[in-house]
Amino acid sequence: MKKVLTYGTYDLLHTGHINLLRRAKEYGDYLVVAISSDEFNAIKGKKAYYSFEQRKAILEAIRYVDEVIPEHNWEQKVTDVIDNEIDVFVMGDDWKGDFDFLKEHCEVVYLPRTVGISTTQIKKDLNNTSHG
Ligand code: C2G
């Protein structure tokens, strides 16, 4: 079984996330998604609308996702790759190059981001409409 791993906050799920997950799954048979805990989001300078538990439940309902694990820090990726026997690490190309250190443990793939959509933009648009 070929195992794929990716990381993210995955707040306010949108088609950019789904496009990433669908393409990531095509690299193997089993996709593990490590989603950022609420505490790690604070370290990333992000405040997710949905809690970790809610984001976990939403991701687990996606057909491409086989398992969801927590992301607590920047340092856990090598351990995650080894402990989960990961063959392919996949991230959007906004992270291109940032995780090349994983190449000694698994294949590293950066996929083009979906243009024109982001959780930040969704929040801005909703905020603007609610203020008339
Ligand atoms: N993504 C995408 N297209 C978009 C938006 C996001 O392909 N329009 C991808 C990102 O490149 C990432 C994944 O969807 O691979 C999740 O995006 P975020 O939830 O924004 O994750 P991020 O904050 O980048 O966290 O340790 C890594 C970090 O946890 C990544």
Side-chain angles (χ1 to χ4, degrees):
M1 179 171 68
K2 198 169 180 190
K3 298 183 75 177
V4 184
L5 172 64
T6 191
Y7 291 75
T9 298
Y10 285 98
D11 191 28
L12 298 182
L13 198 69
H14 54 68
T15 47
H17 296 137
I18 297 301
N19 289 340
L20 192 287
L21 296 170
R22 184 185 64 255
R23 289 175 292 162
K25 182 61 175 283
E26 288 166 7
Y27 283 85
D29 314 291
Y30 189 92
L31 175 60
V32 180
V33 184
I35 55 169
S36 312
S37 65
D38 296 329
E39 297 74 14
F40 183 52
N41 266 329
I43 293 169
K44 291 197 316 188
K46 283 190 165 186
K47 172 93 178 72
Y49 177 80
Y50 287 128
S51 68
F52 171 81
E53 287 308 324
Q54 289 173 308
R55 288 179 285 123
K56 182 173 185 289
I58 292 167
L59 264 279
E60 285 170 342
I62 297 172
R63 70 177 68 179
Y64 309 116
V65 177
D66 297 286
E67 183 179 357
V68 176
I69 62 173
E71 178 185 32
H72 295 295
N73 55 62
W74 293 112
E75 293 75 30
Q76 69 183 75
K77 291 185 176 67
V78 172
T79 309
D80 287 349
V81 167
I82 293 166
D83 291 356
N84 290 278
E85 298 178 303
I86 298 299
D87 302 289
V88 189
F89 170 88
V90 177
M91 282 302 290
D93 63 2
D94 46 321
W95 294 93
K96 192 167 180 61
D98 289 354
F99 304 117
D100 289 357
F101 61 87
L102 291 170
K103 284 182 177 175
E104 59 185 284
H105 303 284
C106 64
E107 191 184 342
V108 175
V109 175
Y110 299 102
L111 297 173
R113 275 174 71 94
T114 301
V115 176
I117 193 162
S118 70
T119 301
T120 308
Q121 191 58 48
I122 291 168
K123 287 179 176 177
K124 276 185 193 154
D125 292 351
L126 289 173
N127 197 35
N128 290 340
T129 47
S130 64
H131 285 80

